[in-house]
Amino acid sequence: MESMYLIAILPPPDISARVHLIRQECAEAFGTLASLRPPVHMTLAAPLRMDSSREQNLVTNLERACNQSPFNVELENFGGFENVAVFIDVKKTAALTRLRKEIVSNLPVKAPSGPFHPHFTIAYRDIAEVYPLIMGRFKRRKFFASFVSSGFTLLKHDGRAWQRFHEFSFLAGPKQLSLESLFA
């Protein structure tokens, strides 16, 4: 049976709550309800469809992308893809770009690809008519949050909603050696 999968970074609960409040504000003011369905996330690879019998292969391949240290993710201000999406921008770092490249290169199926513009969506799909109004409200508004990403999540769509399917953790980073540990 074919299923849909999404690979994303999920922020910690406090940041997720802040972003979700903005999504709710946007939905109430402009009727953009589609963005309220998925969990707050930053997509690392476009959603992909594949036979669920290949799930273990997908998990095994994605584990190859975990060979890096945790890194900082900075959300700053708002942006948009004209008439398509409004989002909170994410600073594109070398670590984030490397992670995305590792993930995309290790997918067992060809996923839709395009330029990588990391962000947290606050409105999409049902925004074409209200896009200018939403951008008018948010383009000058300031927003900042940061967190350390220690991994990423594979989500699976159950036919109604995205569900966490597998969590991937990065390496803890290099260990500090002490004189005591060298001679113990």
Side-chain angles (χ1 to χ4, degrees):
M1 169 183 237
E2 191 173 80
S3 294
M4 193 160 49
Y5 302 88
L6 175 65
I7 304 157
I9 290 178
L10 305 181
D14 61 325
I15 294 174
S16 183
R18 287 178 62 198
V19 173
H20 189 67
L21 282 173
I22 295 168
R23 295 190 325 177
Q24 286 178 313
E25 173 190 344
C26 201
E28 289 169 9
F30 303 104
T32 56
L33 302 175
S35 61
L36 297 176
R37 283 182 279 207
V40 172
H41 69 281
M42 177 179 54
T43 301
L44 293 169
L48 59 118
R49 290 185 180 276
M50 61 176 236
D51 194 280
S52 55
S53 66
R54 299 181 68 193
E55 285 175 351
Q56 187 53 52
N57 183 251
L58 175 61
V59 169
T60 300
N61 284 12
L62 289 175
E63 285 173 346
R64 295 180 187 139
C66 293
N67 192 21
Q68 64 177 320
S69 297
F71 58 86
N72 200 42
V73 175
E74 293 183 8
L75 294 72
E76 187 169 13
N77 301 329
F78 297 86
F81 301 131
E82 192 163 348
N83 294 330
V84 176
V86 177
F87 52 78
I88 297 172
D89 227 340
V90 171
K91 184 177 180 183
K92 191 173 182 179
T93 62
L96 189 52
T97 301
R98 183 173 49 252
L99 174 61
R100 183 188 193 255
K101 183 179 176 187
E102 283 293 316
I103 286 171
V104 170
S105 69
N106 282 296
L107 291 174
V109 295
K110 179 102 171 112
S113 64
F116 181 48
H117 187 119
H119 62 276
F120 285 85
T121 302
I122 61 168
Y124 75 118
R125 286 197 183 155
D126 49 6
I127 71 163
E129 293 179 11
V130 293
Y131 179 84
L133 300 172
I134 299 171
M135 286 305 293
R137 184 176 201 155
F138 289 100
K139 72 179 174 185
R140 288 187 183 87
R141 188 187 290 188
K142 300 295 180 196
F143 182 93
F144 184 81
S146 69
F147 65 94
V148 174
S149 175
S150 57
F152 59 95
T153 304
L154 175 63
L155 298 117
K156 181 179 179 179
H157 205 277
D158 67 7
R160 285 182 276 158
W162 290 105
Q163 305 296 330
R164 289 179 186 216
F165 182 72
H166 193 88
E167 302 286 335
F168 296 88
S169 296
F170 300 141
L171 298 174
K175 287 188 174 181
Q176 290 287 359
L177 292 177
S178 66
L179 289 175
E180 294 80 25
S181 67
L182 290 174
F183 299 105

